[in-house]
Amino acid sequence: MGMRVKSAVSTPRALPQALVALLALCVVALVVTVGARQQANAVDGALITMGLVALVAVLGLASRPDALVPRDRLGIAWAAFLGWALLCALVSGRVWASLVGEVTSLLGLFTLVGLTLAAAAAARFGDDARRALELVAPVAVFVQIAATVAQLALGARPRGTLPNSTYLGEAIVILLPFVLAEDPGGLRLERRHRLWLAGAAVITLAAAGSRTAALAATGWFLWALVSRSGLSRALKLAAITLTVVTVALGAFTFARGEVLGTAGIETLGERPRMWRTAALAAAGRPLVGYGPDGFTAGGVAVTTPELARDGGALIFRPGSVDPHNLAVWVLVSTGVFGLGLFAWALVELVLRWRRAFRDGRDVAPGVFAVVGAVAVFLTAPAALQVLPLFGYVVGVSLRRGEERSGTGVPRTVGWVLIGAGALVALAMAGNAATRLALEDHGADVSPAKVGLAQAATVWWPFDAHLAHLASLHWGWTAVADPTVAMRQPDLVAIERAVELDSRDPFVSLEHARTLRFYGAPDEAVEGAFLETLRRWELFPIARAEYATFLARAGRTDEARAQLDVATLVEDPHPRFAATLQTARDELARRP
């Protein structure tokens, strides 16, 4: 029997075009991973979408010029946090990386600004923004369920349209409360059908292995059932308390293997190692941190051979490691003071929710969506693909009626802020679009891209990652074409990247490799290797390559010492095993 739709003709009044475009882009962000060749391509696509979301949000705010920027304690607290994050970026030693974010994460200051603009626009559209979300949420959840079921049936990794099941969980936790909303916009499904859809979403999360999200979704699902039942107030309170306790116990039971590594308390998993590394990094720069999204830069700075011998070392990959905890991310990015400002903004957010509840507004769906997502963010990265939707939902949770006179900043200041937001949005989208075209490199593709790579370093002269990519594309071309090698354009590009980013060991290692390729004096090559190891003492592949260099120079004892450090931890880099064997072969040729 098909699903009946009740009052299908009672379509709500037309929604503002800017709002429709804003929500559509937030949902599109959930599918930008589909078809991506690698993680870097996926996050570049997500950042392009975030830039478009921010730009549409700016246009939406400009279309409602009354009280362009509300002035209250929440706004002041969040503006103070963003201002401090900007200062942290400027003193980080890797400014553009802090503004845009790590290579395969891209959660820099620009992303925070984009999220803020999405929230501000959704809040300004008020009830229209919530009605639009209630209309879209059931469809979006159904699509994610269908995609996951298809993947399970085909034996593929279940993840919906997202990179993994954890990110799928974040999306569904955000959408689920609006599937179960009391009056879901224009798609007025019968309550039992909405309950079936919500139940199917919870089961899908459990089947996909998204444990924290499944528990959070279960909590909301049970709370929605109990709160709308005919039980007395005392029984409702008892049932809700029992639900909270059950979910908490379930979270410990199912997540302990994720956190502890095994059922034994003595064996620590990866997350505590991440948090320990972040704590050590924060202790090194407690006031300003390492700039937004600076966990990799901060983590490599404190990951030493001694830490590896102690069993607490992580293996970093270029831009791909996140501390898997929102509070820790804020701490290592902006220091203790930034974390304090962030906490102040959270307190003001809760107080705003409390006032709205006392005024009789239905804030439960928005509050749960935000709190549920943050709960997942405490054990997992905040997915860039999900953040536009998260920002929109934060705005929905803050929606209010007409602003009272005198609560907005002066109109001129508002337009200046909106103009700055538009510039950030264009920078996000444009920079990510340039990166997207250059992420793939190799002997078969690089010669055709060197022109674009060279132009990119002109368009974005402060982007160390683009300079690094340009060096790789020129390098592959130089290997095949001696006339290009004579000009050494890859060396020029990588030296520019080293100059722009004083903390990235991956850039520094490429500098050493390039110098070695061009037969630079041993002193210059060794200096580049030592600079790399200064930035990251425990860098297995750099240690192995340095060992090969030392062995070829006849410094066998020093080479063996480098190999001892290189093998302290298992490096998953595909080139590491081959590099290690090369070093051992060089040593075997020497007495």
Side-chain angles (χ1 to χ4, degrees), residues 172-489:
I172 288 184
V173 164
I174 290 172
L175 291 166
L176 189 62
F178 298 95
V179 173
L180 293 174
E182 284 291 346
D183 185 18
L187 190 65
R188 310 192 75 174
L189 299 177
E190 293 184 7
R191 184 169 182 267
R192 62 192 177 97
H193 292 142
R194 289 186 272 121
L195 290 174
W196 289 349
L197 185 60
V202 173
I203 294 171
T204 299
L205 290 179
S210 184
R211 291 168 288 195
T212 305
L215 289 165
T218 300
W220 168 258
F221 183 63
L222 295 177
W223 184 89
L225 289 176
V226 171
S227 63
R228 298 174 190 180
S229 68
L231 298 176
S232 66
R233 182 175 182 180
L235 287 176
K236 284 183 179 179
L237 181 60
I240 291 173
T241 302
L242 179 62
T243 297
V244 170
V245 172
T246 302
V247 170
L249 291 175
F252 174 76
T253 301
F254 288 103
R256 65 176 182 177
E258 202 170 75
V259 174
L260 299 178
T262 70
I265 191 70
E266 72 281 355
T267 305
L268 293 179
E270 188 178 47
R271 279 168 175 76
R273 288 202 301 272
M274 292 175 176
W275 301 335
R276 179 185 181 185
T277 299
L280 292 172
R285 288 169 66 94
L287 186 60
V288 296
Y290 294 84
D293 212 20
F295 175 64
T296 299
V300 297
V302 299
T303 304
T304 62
E306 291 72 25
L307 192 62
R309 293 187 182 98
D310 191 37
L314 289 172
I315 288 297
F316 290 87
R317 298 177 298 281
S320 63
V321 178
D322 181 277
H324 287 58
N325 183 290
L326 179 61
V328 174
W329 185 93
V330 173
L331 174 64
V332 79
S333 297
T334 61
V336 176
F337 188 65
L339 182 61
L341 292 174
F342 186 80
W344 177 29
L346 290 182
V347 169
E348 294 297 339
L349 177 63
V350 172
L351 292 176
R352 174 77 73 81
W353 287 339
R354 185 181 179 188
R355 289 195 295 271
F357 177 75
R358 287 180 172 177
D359 290 342
R361 292 196 290 272
D362 179 22
V363 297
V367 169
F368 176 82
V370 174
V371 172
V374 169
V376 181
F377 294 161
L378 292 177
T379 60
L384 182 57
Q385 293 87 345
V386 176
L387 284 181
L389 182 63
F390 177 71
Y392 184 98
V393 171
V394 170
V396 168
S397 76
L398 296 174
R399 79 191 198 288
R400 61 167 85 179
E402 293 297 320
E403 300 289 344
R404 297 173 184 173
S405 59
T407 62
V409 301
R411 181 66 56 85
T412 302
V413 176
W415 281 113
V416 169
L417 293 176
I418 283 180
L423 290 177
V424 168
L426 292 171
M428 272 194 290
N431 184 259
T434 307
R435 289 174 171 226
L436 180 65
L438 295 173
E439 297 287 4
D440 294 329
H441 55 84
D444 55 337
V445 298
S446 288
K449 293 185 176 183
V450 291
L452 175 61
Q454 186 175 22
T457 59
V458 176
W459 301 335
W460 307 100
F462 304 111
D463 190 339
H465 178 58
L466 280 177
H468 187 186
L469 289 175
S471 174
L472 294 174
H473 287 293
W474 277 120
W476 284 109
T477 307
V479 169
D481 188 346
T483 61
V484 172
M486 290 177 61
R487 294 185 284 111
Q488 301 183 358

